[in-house]
Amino acid sequence: MTFLLVALAALAVAPLPQDPEPRAWTIQAERVYTSTGRNLEKGLVVVSAGKISAVTPGAGDEDERPRDRLKVYAVTAGLVDAGVRVTNWSSVEQSKEVTPQLRVSDALDPFALDWERQLRSGVTTVLASPIDRNVIGGLSVVLKTAGPESIAARTLKADAVLRGSMGSDPSAGNHAASGRPTDFYSRRPTTRMGVEWEWRNAFFTTALGQNEQDPGRATLVAALQGKIPVFVQAWTTQDIRTAVFLREEVQARPEFASAGMNTPRFVIDAAAEAWKEPQLLARSQTPVILPPFPAGGRTRDNALMAWNVAKILKDSGVPFALSSHGSSDVADRLAMQAGYAMAGGITFEDALAAVTSTPAKLLGVDSRVGSLEVGKDADLVLWSGEPFQPGTRVVATIVDGVLRYEGWDAVQGAAIAR
Amino acid sequence: MLPILLAFAAATIPGQSPLAIRAKTVWTGGGRVLENGVVVVDDGRIQSVGTDVAIPEDAEVLEHDGVLTAGMIALHGAAGAVGETRDGTRPALPEARVGLALDGRSRDFEELREAGITSILVTPDPSGITGGTTALVKTLDGQVVRDPAHLSLVFSSEGLSGNREPTSRPGALALLNALFAEPRGVVADARAGRIGCLFEVREREDIGRAIAFAREKKLRGALHGAGLSGELSEPIRDSGLAVILPVLGVGAPQRVLDAVARLAKDGVAFGFGLDAPWVHADSLRLSAALCVRAGLDRQAAWRGLTADAAKIAGVDDRLGRIERGLDADLVLWSGDPLDLSSSARTVLVGGKSVPMGGPAGTAKESHR
């Protein structure tokens, strides 16, 4: 009894942080899109203790606890964006070109409005990566877009991906010294081949044990052994080819085999011109993440992104995910990307997979998120109509069982029963 | 290096008689407010304080129809060291001592002491991951009270640079971790708790990182520079760190002022910074007065300018309160010092009277 009183007194002086507790919810929807291939017309998704506890057909007892019942047109799993860039120069350490060991999570701001923007567009899980200024920029982190006000508490998977880039981004701004160098930008790489050389140098020195003192070595070893996937930004055909050939070289050369470092896993990020090399990607079993569809047809690095790129990848058997890149442009929202990809010829199911289950698999978090299945995290998007259509709104977003976003019609009470 | 405590006897003129100040109101800074209190000063120190205090026969007696307080302590600035507080050539200069760059007789100090500020924490600029160590100095005669006072550690983006390491947050953290592996020097003193750290922060995200680092390395000290610190008052309280607020001008948003009130409510010790000499010395009182107007307890605000500031600077054994044995750094205010129409009529530093009104000493009343 005394102990209980002491415990109560301790509670009284140290109130818990005012973070909403996960609540029990019953989402009643005309359409339940599960991302498992099994969809329901008129179904229920039941949530308790932050997890999905049931996905069933029917309408249940509609009078039961109306406060916990949300009625919407459609419900899907929370969207997953594996291509979010941290639009912050302080996310990448530019004093060196190769910084595999540095963590982008150390640069993230839990209070930034970007997370809420993602939430409003239905994205509940992201891979946040450093800005592509380094050849190998560091370790990306998978995190939820809502939750307690700390990055550590929102992290779903730390050190999830080793992040780097081919192409022109890592060499932009570097220059050959003319006279006395005044800063560290008088260095390589200044060209695409210089960028590729830095990758090759990092991999070979690791396999040959020539970088024992390098703080990034352990990360590079893990990447070459396939323990951490390597996400390589490559917009254009030649950069996609360069990345695939580099991996195939690592798989084939005896130096890597004898060191036990010949099984890297590559994912090509921002592969706008993947439609030109579907056979290469299929043969090498390299998944890709597509960048946002560009307004003028051309992306960064002057890559040409065809409208039917997703369709070509689908037909060729190349796994692909879609991404908004974390852009603040409303036309770049992830749900819009899925709609554009459907306009390019893929089915709703394929588009849904490309923004839920496929990116979850690429990130190795598919046991937790990416589909509506019993036992998975209660990350749900409630839609006013058919998802990915331009006129459809995100009515509400639930993360880990907590209602984190309500759209304007929810405030008016038109869609959500309170 | 152990912090050097220069325990000089205060600069009372030898042979001078004790001074007894009989004031209408005395704010002792220890939570007590005395009506018709008496404070006796001798040999640069406070000999006694109370309402029923024996006044020595040879004492000079000063009657004051206002408020008597301890001198204020400004917790951030470059007074006496303008142009000497930043060396941006290297990512880390932990052993750089701003106390050695000081000109103790700089005219920067005149404005401060005439405004009732009797000590100031002079700080290296945020540069790289550390710009060096802070020093606490008196505003009269350049007496150094504590040097080094803190190791400055930069968690704000000001430490990052476009053309030298670190350019990034992760890079800065890697450098900080490497720095704290140093076996000797001021960093080892910080790790062992022999010296506190001054964490330079601006945004709330900086505070999260600074707290995590302090916890990991078991550091103590204060977070300087984030107006919204109070929005994270619970994690700050749990970290044991104190807060030094930035200068709050008349344009300080209500949100910032509300956040300060939360610091007090949640029991986080806080003081006020003053970017002297670029900001007028009266801005220190103004910062606190704005918080009081927004609902902060008056005595809590005043402790932030005196007793709690002394704790944050690690000098509460000498400064910040009117208590027997402490330095006679005293201010005689015309009225309530948090009423901005009040002014400092007489300022004593170590029992020695500060000439008021500039070098000529004519504009304001001056005692001996």
Side-chain angles (χ1 to χ4, degrees), chain B:
Chain B
M1 188 195 319
L2 277 170
I4 300 166
L5 289 172
L6 296 174
F8 289 143
T12 311
I13 297 160
Q16 190 165 39
S17 57
L19 169 70
I21 308 166
R22 202 196 311 268
K24 189 176 166 196
T25 309
V26 178
W27 291 5
T28 64
R32 281 195 304 163
V33 175
L34 309 176
E35 298 301 329
N36 300 312
V38 176
V39 175
V40 178
V41 172
D42 194 15
D43 198 23
R45 292 176 188 277
I46 295 161
Q47 294 301 321
S48 50
V49 53
T51 49
D52 186 23
V53 168
I55 297 176
E57 282 187 8
D58 59 340
E60 184 183 348
V61 178
L62 179 64
E63 301 284 346
H64 180 60
D65 185 29
V67 181
L68 172 63
T69 71
M72 296 189 292
I73 302 170
L75 287 177
H76 202 263
V82 170
E84 305 291 346
T85 53
R86 180 187 188 89
D87 181 340
T89 57
R90 288 168 182 78
L93 284 167
E95 304 288 346
R97 285 170 58 183
V98 84
L100 300 179
L102 270 176
D103 171 10
R105 283 172 173 73
S106 161
R107 289 194 58 181
D108 294 345
F109 294 115
E110 274 175 21
E111 181 183 288
L112 295 170
R113 61 197 181 223
E114 288 178 20
I117 298 168
T118 52
S119 293
I120 181 168
L121 188 72
V122 185
T123 46
D125 285 8
S127 170
I129 55 166
T130 170
T133 54
T134 70
L136 191 86
V137 295
K138 299 238 184 157
T139 54
L140 187 67
D141 300 336
Q143 192 198 134
V144 176
V145 184
R146 192 176 171 93
D147 175 26
H150 308 90
L151 172 62
S152 170
L153 298 175
V154 186
F155 283 82
S156 66
S157 60
E158 292 154 295
L160 309 179
S161 162
N163 55 17
R164 64 134 174 74
E165 195 182 13
T167 74
S168 69
R169 306 276 196 178
L173 187 63
L175 286 176
L176 278 165
N177 279 317
L179 180 70
F180 272 77
E182 292 285 329
R184 280 180 295 278
V186 67
V187 170
D189 288 337
R191 210 172 39 226
R194 291 189 291 269
I195 183 172
C197 296
L198 188 107
F199 300 87
E200 290 285 0
V201 293
R202 295 295 173 270
E203 305 297 333
R204 289 174 299 166
E205 54 169 319
D206 305 338
I207 293 175
R209 296 189 193 103
I211 287 178
F213 190 78
R215 184 179 300 130
E216 188 192 320
K217 307 293 182 197
K218 298 185 172 62
L219 306 177
R220 60 186 179 83
L223 302 155
H224 166 257
L228 294 177
S229 301
E231 295 190 358
L232 297 173
S233 58
E234 287 176 18
I236 293 174
R237 178 194 58 205
D238 296 346
S239 74
L241 299 176
V243 165
I244 300 171
L245 294 162
V247 179
L248 308 174
V250 284
Q254 188 65 33
R255 183 177 168 189
V256 168
L257 301 176
D258 290 344
V260 178
R262 275 182 62 178
L263 286 178
K265 180 175 145 282
D266 287 334
V268 176
F270 61 91
F272 294 86
L274 176 71
D275 293 332
W278 297 288
V279 174
H280 191 276
D282 280 336
S283 297
L284 191 69
R285 266 199 306 153
L286 173 64
S287 292
L290 287 167
C291 296
V292 171
R293 188 174 73 175
L296 178 65
D297 175 70
R298 186 170 287 265
Q299 288 299 322
W302 189 251
R303 282 197 304 275
L305 295 171
T306 53
D308 287 352
K311 267 186 215 153
I312 290 169
V315 292
D316 52 323
D317 56 336
R318 277 188 61 187
L319 309 179
R321 286 160 292 136
I322 303 183
E323 248 179 56
R324 180 180 164 78
L326 268 57
D327 289 12
D329 293 357
L330 301 169
V331 185
L332 282 65
W333 301 93
S334 61
D336 179 344
L338 287 170
D339 174 351
L340 296 176
S341 64
S342 303
S343 61
R345 291 295 168 81
T346 300
V347 179
L348 303 177
V349 177
K352 190 173 166 186
S353 180
V354 165
M356 302 293 272
T362 53
K364 290 184 186 172
E365 184 184 332
S366 176
H367 174 71
R368 54 176 184 181

Side-chain angles (χ1 to χ4, degrees), chain A residues 85 97 129-140 161-167 169-170 195 199 229-234 267-269:
Chain A
R85 272 80 171 145
E97 307 91 328
S129 295
I131 206 164
D132 287 292
R133 190 59 190 82
N134 276 10
V135 177
I136 301 178
L139 291 158
S140 307
V161 160
L162 178 62
R163 172 75 192 186
S165 181
M166 293 290 176
D169 276 353
V195 171
W199 278 99
V230 184
F231 277 37
V232 184
Q233 176 182 262
V267 173
I268 309 291
D269 184 34

Side-chain angles (χ1 to χ4, degrees), chain A residues 23 32 34 93 116 120 124 239 243 267 270 285 331 349 376:
Chain A
R23 232 173 79 184
V32 179
T34 63
E93 181 55 40
E116 195 190 325
R120 281 186 312 221
T124 56
D239 298 332
V267 173
Q285 295 181 310
E349 274 306 313
K376 293 210 173 169

